[in-house]
Amino acid sequence: MRSLLALLIMTLTLAVLCCCEKDPKEPLGPISTDSIKIKKEVANAFVKRQKRSSLYERYFEYYKSPMEQMHERCENYPPCDYLSDQIGFSLAYNRFFGRY
């Protein structure tokens, strides 16, 4: 019985030593940025854009609402963009472009 137990302990010890050994393929130094980069085709295959299915969503993808157009007009004009951060969009838009 003792010899069987000793044999089992030796087998388990050798199995642990074999499994816990460091991987020889793993670099010992710091990881370089070249090993992190992936090809463009692989990245595009991984991240796919979900297609829009309804006509309503497709319409709003191409045509912007009037309020969104006003926001973009204000964002493209630096004084309006800066002032909108201070006092709000509607007041800044009224000051530079008049009533909406």
Side-chain angles (χ1 to χ4, degrees):
M1 183 73 170
R2 282 189 175 176
S3 63
L4 185 60
L5 188 60
L7 182 62
L8 182 64
I9 289 174
M10 288 297 287
T11 307
L12 289 175
T13 305
L14 289 174
V16 167
L17 289 175
C18 290
C19 292
C20 296
E21 192 175 291
K22 265 192 154 180
D23 188 13
K25 296 175 188 171
E26 190 175 304
L28 298 175
I31 298 173
S32 66
T33 56
D34 294 333
S35 64
I36 297 173
K37 292 180 183 175
I38 58 175
K39 291 182 180 179
K40 187 177 180 181
E41 294 81 23
V42 175
N44 286 340
F46 180 72
V47 181
K48 292 230 180 219
R49 182 173 173 255
Q50 184 179 4
K51 302 280 184 188
R52 299 194 186 267
S53 59
S54 71
L55 293 174
Y56 181 77
E57 291 177 346
R58 286 186 196 153
Y59 174 80
F60 282 108
E61 184 178 337
Y62 295 112
Y63 301 104
K64 297 176 183 170
S65 68
M67 188 60 112
E68 189 174 351
Q69 290 174 355
M70 289 188 300
H71 271 282
E72 287 183 358
R73 185 175 180 194
C74 187
E75 287 173 355
N76 290 337
Y77 187 57
C80 183
D81 188 33
Y82 177 76
L83 193 61
S84 69
D85 292 337
Q86 306 298 318
I87 62 173
F89 165 72
S90 61
L91 293 173
Y93 188 86
N94 286 342
R95 178 177 235 168
F96 288 102
F97 302 109
R99 188 96 176 127
Y100 53 92

